[in-house]
Amino acid sequence: MPVQWRALEAWMKKFTFKLAATLALLVMAAGAGVLYATLAPGNRQHLGNSSCAGCHLAGDRVNAENASILTASQEILCGQCHPKAIQVSHPSGFAPKNKPPAAYPLDWKGDLTCSTCHEIHNSGNGLMRGTQRGKALCLSCHNDQFFAKMRDRGVSTQVGHLGGGSFVAAFLDVYSAKCMSCHDQRGNPKFATAVDQSGVVRHAGSSVNHPIGVNYKKSTIYGGYRPMHMISKKILLPDGKLSCVSCHQGYAGEHGKLVMNNTGSALCFECHDL
Ligand code: HEC
Ligand code: HEC
Ligand code: HEC
Ligand code: HEC
Ligand code: HEC
Ligand code: HEC
Ligand code: HEC
């Protein structure tokens, strides 16, 4: 890590928003034991393939009038898939003293939240509301003095969230999360991979759809799987979990190569005992 970045990080820590930290804890508590999903391939619109009832009390009957009645705060709902967007980020989930311009609506309880800046069901362009970007966006609500008194003139914060590109499904191991940082819906559609609501990897080529993030040992209890000590050492189970690197080599000259030849479904039978 470059020295300036560390200094900036230390500086950020000092000024870290207590609100964001509290919310992060709330999300972790709420998220325990829940499987998180990404968009299934096909619908490019953000959340277009998600269950509406996951967020809207009206479920499938959601419309513009009742859409604001959500099953939990947006910090919780959105934080499940975007945990970093609520840490070291613009504060969210509080009632501001001054009402922002109409282009940046507060929620029903008067809170500034994710949907104040983001158009949830849009696609592309960071899902931003309005046409202002960068510092100009910030100046829609803040004045110049607000940034002038900051030691870096606010430049470090004007990106919105410091943990950019932060999609990490919380139940995935670190390696799968790394793979998904490139193989999510943003990359080449031919190689785009999704992890859906039930924790199933959906390969674009639909070669194999497979559970991921599940504890291998627990699965073996019910039979149908070979005991953990009998499976090839080439199959990695980080934290005991099914991972992209259980089937694919994580670090190899031939990127994405399977951990072993799958002729006759040899890879599958390493684990499956049918
Ligand atoms: C991750 C949570 C989440 C999911 C899943 C979700 N929505 Fe929403 N939706 C929101 C939020 C947040 C808003 C903004 C609410 C507000 O303005 O107070 C919203 C707004 C809306 C609106 C109002 C118009 C707009 O675009 O702002 C409609 C209509 C809507 N959603 C329909 C749907 C439908 C249909 C589905 C299922 C395919 C769905 N939503 C799934 C969170 C979600
Ligand atoms: C089920 C998981 C899931 C949930 C819940 C979710 N997102 Fe996302 N979000 C994604 C995925 C996957 C992408 C990347 C694909 C894309 O750009 O559509 C994404 C992308 C984004 C982006 C960046 C879009 C871009 O073009 O760069 C924003 C902003 C965003 N989400 C905000 C939100 C907000 C706000 C909520 C809560 C209402 C939310 N998300 C809830 C999965 C989710
Ligand atoms: C929709 C209005 C709105 C927009 C847009 C907005 N802010 Fe804010 N921001 C607020 C409000 C309200 C607060 C709460 C503190 C206050 O009232 O000044 C706040 C707080 C902050 C804080 C925390 C201050 C502290 O001392 O804890 C920072 C830093 C900040 N904003 C930076 C930015 C940056 C950078 C941007 C552009 C990416 C931005 N804001 C865009 C409304 C907004
Ligand atoms: C004050 C405005 C503001 C608020 C409030 C806000 N964001 Fe953002 N967000 C931004 C800006 C600015 C960007 C950068 C957009 C771009 O790419 O141009 C961004 C980008 C994102 C991205 C994509 C890039 C990344 O960092 O991964 C996600 C995901 C996201 N926001 C989620 C959220 C969630 C979830 C919330 C609520 C907890 C939220 N945002 C609240 C301003 C905001
Ligand atoms: C830095 C971005 C990045 C990361 C991280 C990444 N990949 Fe890839 N991957 C790519 C690109 C780019 C391609 C080739 C796409 C193309 O040719 O257009 C690819 C291709 C693949 C292929 C297809 C190979 C083929 O030729 O059929 C597999 C399989 C694959 N990746 C698996 C993985 C796995 C598993 C991980 C995590 C261990 C991972 N990737 C991490 C960028 C990435
Ligand atoms: C149960 C084993 C298994 C798991 C787990 C798995 N894959 Fe695969 N993957 C395969 C097989 C088998 C193929 C087909 C390879 C071939 O035909 O050479 C494949 C193919 C791919 C491809 C090539 C394009 C396509 O869609 O066929 C990509 C990219 C890829 N996997 C990425 C991932 C990523 C990212 C993860 C983790 C999120 C993952 N895989 C998890 C077995 C798996
Ligand atoms: C690393 C071990 C491992 C490998 C390799 C593996 N699987 Fe699996 N597979 C599992 C486990 C464990 C489950 C059960 C997960 C759960 O408990 O939900 C499973 C579940 C499945 C399921 C869902 C069945 C159900 O009833 O839930 C299918 C289908 C499947 N595997 C097919 C395959 C195929 C095809 C291959 C080869 C490309 C393969 N598996 C390779 C461990 C593995």
Side-chain angles (χ1 to χ4, degrees):
M1 220 191 308
V3 176
Q4 308 94 299
W5 180 248
R6 243 185 254 152
L8 171 67
E9 201 175 51
W11 176 84
M12 280 304 301
K13 271 198 190 115
K14 240 172 87 191
F15 287 87
T16 283
F17 319 119
K18 292 197 189 81
L19 187 69
T22 317
L23 288 169
L25 283 174
L26 274 174
V27 163
M28 279 187 253
V34 180
L35 289 187
Y36 304 135
T38 75
L39 296 175
N43 194 332
R44 309 288 293 174
Q45 191 191 352
H46 181 243
L47 299 171
N49 285 342
S50 294
S51 153
C52 315
C55 295
H56 295 285
L57 194 61
D60 291 342
R61 285 166 285 117
V62 58
N63 56 38
E65 278 72 54
N66 64 25
S68 65
I69 309 169
L70 299 168
T71 54
S73 75
Q74 292 183 40
E75 286 68 32
I76 303 271
L77 295 171
C78 313
Q80 294 181 342
C81 293
H82 302 294
K84 287 201 191 126
I86 52 158
Q87 296 167 332
V88 205
S89 281
H90 195 278
S92 182
F94 68 100
K97 278 187 237 107
N98 304 314
K99 206 170 171 217
Y104 300 99
L106 303 174
D107 73 359
W108 64 273
K109 55 190 185 311
D111 281 5
L112 187 155
T113 180
C114 316
S115 62
T116 301
C117 293
H118 294 290
E119 193 127 43
I120 311 296
H121 295 298
N122 214 327
S123 54
N125 287 327
L127 306 177
M128 294 311 291
R129 285 189 185 276
T131 51
Q132 307 288 23
R133 295 292 179 271
K135 193 177 178 188
L137 163 73
C138 315
L139 291 176
S140 309
C141 295
H142 297 286
N143 54 26
D144 262 325
Q145 277 109 296
F146 179 80
F147 293 115
K149 58 178 197 267
M150 294 180 186
R151 291 178 64 184
D152 68 340
R153 303 279 174 268
V155 174
S156 63
T157 60
Q158 282 157 7
V159 290
H161 315 270
L162 292 202
S166 58
F167 173 71
V168 175
F171 71 98
L172 295 180
D173 64 284
V174 288
Y175 305 107
S176 303
K178 195 87 205 161
C179 309
M180 289 302 287
S181 71
C182 290
H183 284 280
D184 67 9
Q185 304 302 298
R186 274 174 277 210
N188 179 344
K190 217 174 119 206
F191 299 103
T193 310
V195 181
D196 76 8
Q197 245 131 345
S198 344
V200 173
V201 181
R202 290 173 181 274
H203 289 91
S206 67
S207 18
V208 211
N209 295 323
H210 202 275
I212 190 173
V214 291
N215 185 290
Y216 184 76
K217 212 165 172 184
K218 275 195 197 143
S219 299
T220 60
I221 296 171
Y222 305 105
Y225 302 97
R226 297 177 72 212
M228 200 150 151
H229 68 267
M230 279 176 69
I231 64 177
S232 165
K233 295 279 166 286
K234 288 184 196 154
I235 291 178
L236 303 184
L237 297 164
D239 308 326
K241 291 177 184 172
L242 251 293
S243 158
C244 307
V245 298
S246 303
C247 298
H248 294 279
Q249 291 184 35
Y251 208 100
E254 203 181 313
H255 179 82
K257 195 171 183 228
L258 293 177
V259 295
M260 60 176 66
N261 191 309
N262 197 28
T263 310
S265 301
L267 168 63
C268 316
F269 286 124
E270 267 306 306
C271 297
H272 287 270
D273 183 16
L274 300 175

